Amino acid sequence: MFPDFQKQKPHVAVVGLGYVGLPLALGLAKHMPVTGFDISARRVQELKRGEDSNRETDAAELRATSCRFTSDENDIGDCSVFIVTVPTPIDAHNEPDLTAVRQATAQVGRHLKKGDIYVLESTVYPGVTEDVCGKILEDVSGLKCGVDFFLGYSPERINPGDTEHTVETITKVVSGQTSVVTEFLAAIYGSVNRGNVFKATNIKVAEASKAIENAQRDINVAFINEITMVLNKLGLCSHDVLDAARTKWNFLPFTPGLVGGHCIGVDPYYLARCAQNLGHEPEVILSGRRINDGMGAYVAERIDRIWNERTSPAGPRARVLLLGFTFKENINDIRNTKVVDIIARLKALGHTVVVHDPHADPHMVAEEYGVELLTTLAAAGPFDCLALVVAHEIYAKMSDQTFADLLGGKGGIIYDLKGLWRRRSFGPEFAYQCI
Ligand SMILES: NC(=O)c1ccc[n+]([C@@H]2O[C@H](COP(=O)([O-])OP(=O)(O)OC[C@H]3O[C@@H](n4cnc5c(N)ncnc54)[C@H](O)[C@@H]3O)[C@@H](O)[C@H]2O)c1
C-alpha cells in the first residue's frame, strides 16, 4: 500500500510550527522532504528570517534546514503524510477546546488524496483522532477513512527549555489505524530518533497514554502542594521535610509550586471530560486540579499573613516584588502562568505588586496579561517583601548586596516558594520564609 520507506521517502507536512511542530519539522527534514505549515504568517516570516521566538532552536539550524516554511495552505497539497501539531487549550469553563484541531484537520482534508496518512500529535482525550478528526477528513475530502486514507496518533513529550529530552532522544509512541500504517509511521519517526519508537496497540491507547502521563504529574504535584499546606500549618518548611523523605528509595521527587503552562495544568481536564462523557466522575484528577489551581492564591495569602504578623492587619499594605513570571524556570514561555493568580490575590488583599522576570518578553506580558514587567533589578525598589515564585537560575546567584538594596537596606520579608535560598544565611533583619 505505502511505498518502501527506505527506497522512497514520503513528503511530510507538519501543520502548526510551535513548540512541538518546529523541532519535529526540523528533525524530520534531516531525513525526508518536509513542508512546515503554520496559519500564522508572522510565525512563518520569523522562521524564514532564521528567528524562533520560542527559543527552541537557533538561526544556524533554521538557515541550514531543508524544511520549507509556509503559511499558504496550498503548499501542503503535494504531501502524503500530514502531522498536526496545533494547540489544544481549555475554555473559560475548563472544557477541551478542539477549535484549532478541527480547523487544521479541515485544512488537511482539503488536500487529502488516496493513500495519504493523517497523524495527530496534539494532546487530546482518547477518541479524538478517529471520532472527531477521521469524520472531518471524510466530510471535507469525500474519501473513506481506513480505505482511501489512514489515521495515526503520536503524542509529543518534549518539554520547553529541556535540551536533554528532545525529538531526537525521547522514546516516541506511535500508533496507526492498521499495523501497516503503524510500521510506516514507526519508520518515519524512527528515522529522527534512531528507531527509539514504541508501537502502541492502537490509536486510542496512544491517546490515553499521553493524557495519563500529564494527569499523573499534575496529581503528584497536587499531593505535594496539599502536604505543603499542612506542613506550613505545623510551622515546617516542606522542602526540609521532602529532603528527608526523599532519602527513601521509592519516594517520588516532586516539589511544591505553581502548575501552569500549556500541558500539565490543561491536559487533565481533557481526561476528566472523557471520564465524565463515559459517566465516571474523576475525583482524584479534579481534586488535583483544584489544589494546583489554588496554589497562587495560597502563596499570596501566606505572604499577606507573614506581613500582618510583622505589622498589623490594619496597618499599611506591603510593596511586594515577585521574582519570576514565566510558567516555569529558565524559559520565556508565559502561557497559562499561574503567577497571575498570586498578583491578583495580593492586589485584592491591598498590597502593591511589582514583577520581575529576566526571560519573559515584557511586550507579550503587557499585551496578554496587562502586567508591566521589570526586566532588570538595578534601581528597583525599595520593597517590603521579595517573593521568589519562579526558580530562574539568576535568582540563585543574587548577591547579599542585591537583597539588601531591594529591601532598601532595612531588612524585610523574603518568601521562597521554590526553596532556592534555603542554604543561605540571612541576617536577623530579614524574615526568611521557605514554603
Ligand atoms: N509545548 C509543549 O512542550 C508540548 C509538549 C507536549 C505536547 N504538547 C501538545 O502539542 C500541541 C501543540 O502545542 P505547542 O506547544 O506546540 O503549541 P504552540 O502554541 O506553541 O504552537 C501551535 C502552532 O500552531 C499554529 N496553528 C494554530 N492553528 C493552526 C492551523 N489551523 N493550521 C496551522 N497552524 C496552526 C499556531 O499558529 C502555532 O504556531 C498541543 O496539543 C500541546 O498540548 C505540547
Side-chain angles (χ1 to χ4, degrees):
M1 166 103 226
F2 305 112
D4 180 344
F5 180 78
Q6 296 313 328
K7 291 190 189 140
Q8 190 190 335
K9 302 283 191 279
H11 185 169
V12 176
V14 175
V15 178
L17 297 171
Y19 282 89
V20 165
L22 179 65
L24 178 69
L26 296 177
L28 289 169
K30 291 178 190 159
H31 306 277
M32 61 201 81
V34 175
T35 296
F37 165 63
D38 199 293
I39 203 168
S40 160
R42 194 167 78 169
R43 175 67 171 157
V44 169
Q45 283 315 316
E46 71 168 35
L47 296 177
K48 282 185 172 171
R49 282 198 307 273
E51 293 164 22
D52 172 19
S53 52
N54 294 343
R55 297 195 208 150
E56 292 294 311
T57 185
D58 56 31
E61 195 178 3
L62 283 171
R63 290 207 185 96
T65 185
S66 62
C67 178
R68 183 171 57 145
F69 298 117
T70 180
S71 55
D72 181 351
E73 187 195 302
N74 293 315
D75 288 340
I76 63 172
D78 53 356
C79 297
S80 59
V81 175
F82 301 87
I83 301 179
V84 172
T85 55
V86 297
T88 43
I90 44 173
D91 66 16
H93 308 287
N94 293 333
E95 289 290 337
D97 176 359
L98 292 175
T99 309
V101 168
R102 288 177 198 278
Q103 186 188 14
T105 305
Q107 287 158 352
V108 171
R110 291 196 277 276
H111 302 279
L112 209 61
K113 304 166 295 304
K114 283 196 174 180
D116 286 353
I117 302 179
Y118 167 98
V119 186
L120 186 61
E121 278 221 16
S122 301
T123 306
V124 290
Y125 51 81
V128 170
T129 306
E130 289 157 299
D131 305 341
V132 178
C133 303
K135 172 94 177 56
I136 293 171
L137 293 169
E138 280 192 336
D139 289 348
V140 176
S141 69
L143 298 172
K144 186 101 190 96
C145 185
V147 177
D148 296 326
F149 70 90
F150 297 89
L151 302 174
Y153 182 79
S154 180
E156 187 50 72
R157 289 168 159 167
I158 58 155
N159 184 16
D162 185 338
T163 50
E164 190 189 336
H165 302 102
T166 65
V167 285
E168 273 150 13
T169 59
I170 299 170
T171 302
K172 190 80 169 123
V173 172
V174 300
S175 63
Q177 204 168 5
T178 67
S179 55
V180 178
V181 175
T182 305
E183 291 302 328
F184 193 69
L185 294 179
I188 291 177
Y189 282 110
S191 61
V192 177
N193 68 0
R194 297 165 192 246
N196 186 6
V197 164
F198 178 89
K199 296 169 202 161
T201 324
N202 59 47
I203 288 175
K204 285 195 179 72
V205 166
E207 290 171 323
S209 74
K210 174 66 190 180
I212 71 161
E213 280 169 27
N214 285 356
Q216 183 190 62
R217 189 167 172 78
D218 193 42
I219 290 159
N220 277 314
V221 176
F223 170 73
I224 297 295
N225 279 340
E226 182 166 52
I227 288 302
T228 294
M229 294 171 192
V230 178
L231 295 173
N232 286 173
K233 280 191 189 296
L234 285 165
L236 300 176
C237 164
S238 64
H239 289 278
D240 288 346
V241 177
L242 291 171
D243 280 351
R246 214 177 284 128
T247 59
K248 191 183 174 201
W249 61 92
N250 58 1
F251 188 83
L252 302 176
F254 289 92
T255 52
L258 306 171
V259 181
H262 190 43
C263 293
I264 309 295
V266 170
D267 302 343
Y269 287 119
Y270 276 68
L271 194 55
R273 169 44 55 209
C274 174
Q276 285 161 339
N277 287 349
L278 296 166
H280 176 89
E281 196 49 33
E283 291 178 33
V284 175
I285 299 170
L286 290 180
S287 302
R289 280 286 66 245
R290 266 194 302 278
I291 290 169
N292 286 343
D293 272 351
M295 248 346 240
Y298 176 76
V299 166
E301 280 157 25
R302 289 286 296 168
I303 293 169
D304 178 64
R305 190 177 158 154
I306 300 164
W307 174 253
N308 290 339
E309 280 166 6
R310 279 173 69 90
T311 55
S312 95
R317 304 288 76 202
R319 257 178 75 74
V320 181
L321 174 64
L322 293 182
L323 295 170
F325 186 79
T326 55
F327 92 81
K328 70 172 194 176
E329 64 280 2
N330 304 321
I331 59 168
N332 68 346
D333 195 339
I334 56 170
R335 291 178 297 173
N336 193 27
T337 175
K338 293 296 169 192
V339 176
V340 291
D341 295 349
I342 306 180
I343 299 170
R345 188 73 190 120
L346 279 173
K347 283 187 173 169
L349 291 164
H351 302 289
T352 302
V353 184
V354 176
V355 191
H356 171 266
D357 194 291
H359 299 291
D361 177 339
H363 302 293
M364 282 175 70
V365 172
E367 202 177 294
E368 285 178 37
Y369 296 101
V371 172
E372 202 179 313
L373 208 63
L374 287 184
T375 52
T376 170
L377 290 175
F383 301 97
D384 303 306
C385 170
L386 306 185
L388 178 108
V389 291
V390 183
H392 291 315
E393 221 168 276
I394 68 151
Y395 298 140
K397 296 176 190 149
M398 261 167 56
S399 68
D400 291 347
Q401 191 57 50
T402 304
F403 280 98
D405 289 347
L406 288 171
L407 290 168
K410 61 184 177 5
I413 298 167
I414 299 175
Y415 183 82
D416 185 358
L417 172 60
K418 301 306 293 181
L420 200 67
W421 298 325
R422 276 188 309 145
R423 311 281 175 229
R424 296 182 80 123
S425 47
F426 293 102
E429 69 277 27
F430 299 104
Y432 174 73
Q433 178 89 55
C434 174
I435 194 171

